[in-house]
Amino acid sequence: MTTERAQEKRQFGHRARLTLTPAQVRLVDAQAHAARATWNLLHDFWTMTPKCRRFLKAADEAIRQARKEIDWFGVLPAQAAQAVLKTYHQAWKSCWEGRADEPNFKARLRTVMSVDVPQGRDLQIKRVHRRWGMVNIPKVGRIRFRWTKDLPVGKHAGNDNRITGARLVKDALGWHIAFRVQTLDAAAGPHPGPEVGIDIGINIPLALSDGNHHDHGRPSRLPDSTSDRDKWLNPDEKARLLRLERRAAYRKSFRKRGEKTSRRLQITYNQIKRLRATATRRATDWQHQTTTRLARTYGVIVVEKLDIPNMVKSAKGTITAPGKNVAQKSGLNRSISQEAWGRTVTMLTYKTARHGGTLHRVPAPNTSLRCSACGFITPGSRRDQATFVCENPDCGWSGNADHNAARNVLHLYRMGHALIPAAGRAVVRRPRGVKPATAR
């Protein structure tokens, strides 16, 4: 006798690399700048208009009129302009609810260039062959993109399995398209896998309580590297990065104070950005593959509830009370930021739910100082960053410090000290007008 599983809707995003001609690059860049200008005009309208006269209908009519009269403003499709208006309004709603800061002016050089395609039917996606697909972008034309995931197009598309929209995003590596996908899949049953505790660290990125640690295969600190991101580059790329940084420093020495950046210096900066973006992309890819493997293997995953913003605070102190070991703390903060612990936990949260597992959080205090064999806590047991030796004369257990912390994390969960599950935690809202503790 067979039983049918319940169906559930699933929404996710898929990002693919675009291959554009020089003419198409100019068209998409123009649309991105027009979208940024639309945001800035909306921001000026909202901040300069009295509260009693702030109506979205008036802003919508102004956008329609501007698209008819201004040529460079009219390159942005009407649906993309409406999406900017909707996004700006949603940004204020998030601010009023205490989940974000107030929307700001988008500067040309500090803003990520993007264009929204809110209607999935405008994309007209078609798979050309195994590695490439074609997508239609309004007012740009047909563009090739890298096909790395099966998408619900053609005969596989329907009301429940379809692409609802997309967004074009530009980074240092070029233009990419992020599809918004909606599918109807069978609900995952309870995961039969074992329980595991995970300690997130620097020397060992993911230390597991069963000893199956996950390392990215690269040293956490390199003597010839100026940043922890460089560990994701091969020796030739690191050497090229060092040459570019020296070239940028040399060319910058000729720039006078307040003078505009030269074209040659800007080209060098762009080359450095591309190498940095390559390292970031490799790190994110490792996180995705590792978290997917963990979600498929284990039914219950337990992690620490870390306050990462407080962990990466500067140790400078004040003039009257200066801090100590500022340089060492600064290096530790960079290492923590580059490991992206919060992003790892976020990936584990939705991937465990997708595979039928659960993710729990436990309190973090003393997990690194407590002996996982006897429960004895002494500050001296943590000999260094990688070694733990219990100072209890009746125990004397020794081993890897991260492995010991992972065993403590799992023990706290089994003893009933788990906090609210990550998937169902409540959003803490700030009162209106109160700024967050850490700047974004």
Side-chain angles (χ1 to χ4, degrees), residues 104 110 128 170 192 234 280 297 313 317 357 365 372 404:
N104 295 324
R110 296 192 302 270
V128 179
K170 186 178 183 181
N234 58 42
T280 303
T297 305
K313 280 186 177 179
S372 59
N404 176 75

Side-chain angles (χ1 to χ4, degrees), residues 222-230 241-242 245 276 334:
L222 298 174
D224 59 342
S225 176
T226 58
S227 172
D228 286 344
R229 283 181 294 185
D230 301 347
L241 177 62
L242 182 59
E245 289 177 339
R276 299 291 191 194
R334 285 196 300 269

Side-chain angles (χ1 to χ4, degrees), residues 63-111:
I63 290 175
R64 294 175 184 270
Q65 188 67 21
R67 293 184 66 254
K68 295 179 181 179
E69 299 177 355
I70 305 175
D71 294 337
W72 64 267
F73 201 70
V75 299
L76 184 67
Q79 295 292 339
Q82 294 294 324
V84 175
L85 177 62
K86 182 179 179 181
T87 304
Y88 185 78
H89 183 249
Q90 182 61 41
W92 274 110
K93 289 181 63 177
S94 300
C95 175
W96 296 331
E97 294 173 359
R99 294 185 285 110
D101 293 335
E102 294 182 0
N104 295 324
F105 180 87
K106 289 190 175 183
R108 182 183 182 92
L109 298 178
R110 296 192 302 270
T111 303

Side-chain angles (χ1 to χ4, degrees), residues 198-200 205-206 287 291 294 301-306 308 339-353 359-361 421-423 425:
I198 299 179
D199 177 71
I200 303 177
L206 296 176
Q287 283 184 311
T291 51
L294 291 173
I301 298 178
V302 189
V303 297
E304 296 175 294
K305 189 179 186 305
L306 301 174
I308 300 176
E339 290 297 335
W341 294 344
R343 187 169 60 195
T344 301
V345 175
T346 301
M347 292 180 183
L348 286 173
T349 301
Y350 71 82
K351 290 183 180 181
T352 52
L359 184 136
H360 300 274
R361 299 188 182 189
R425 65 182 184 277

Side-chain angles (χ1 to χ4, degrees), residues 91-227:
W92 274 110
K93 289 181 63 177
S94 300
C95 175
W96 296 331
E97 294 173 359
R99 294 185 285 110
D101 293 335
E102 294 182 0
N104 295 324
F105 180 87
K106 289 190 175 183
R108 182 183 182 92
L109 298 178
R110 296 192 302 270
T111 303
V112 178
M113 299 179 66
S114 63
V115 181
D116 198 77
V117 185
Q119 300 293 337
R121 62 174 179 268
D122 296 336
L123 298 174
Q124 301 177 12
I125 301 172
K126 181 180 179 181
R127 186 171 187 176
V128 179
H129 53 79
R130 185 171 62 89
R131 293 186 177 181
W132 293 97
M134 297 290 291
V135 60
N136 180 71
I137 303 301
K139 293 193 174 184
V140 177
R142 303 290 289 174
I143 300 177
R144 288 198 312 164
F145 69 93
R146 190 72 170 178
W147 192 283
T148 57
K149 185 181 182 66
D150 291 334
L151 299 173
V153 297
K155 63 180 181 180
H156 301 288
N159 294 331
D160 297 325
N161 296 279
R162 58 193 177 95
I163 295 178
T164 59
R167 174 178 286 268
L168 306 180
V169 182
K170 186 178 183 181
D171 59 9
L173 298 175
W175 280 98
H176 297 73
I177 184 168
F179 297 106
R180 293 187 287 269
V181 186
Q182 175 182 306
T183 60
L184 185 64
D185 300 330
H191 199 295
E195 302 173 348
V196 67
I198 299 179
D199 177 71
I200 303 177
I202 297 175
N203 286 338
I204 301 179
L206 296 176
L208 275 59
S209 58
D210 58 1
N212 297 323
H213 307 318
H214 288 270
D215 193 355
H216 41 58
R218 303 169 187 265
S220 59
R221 295 183 182 275
L222 298 174
D224 59 342
S225 176
T226 58
S227 172

Side-chain angles (χ1 to χ4, degrees), residues 245-260:
E245 289 177 339
R246 289 176 177 175
R247 185 186 304 171
Y250 175 75
R251 291 177 175 174
K252 187 179 178 181
S253 63
F254 295 96
R255 188 182 66 178
K256 297 180 181 179
R257 186 174 182 180
E259 187 179 4
K260 187 178 179 180

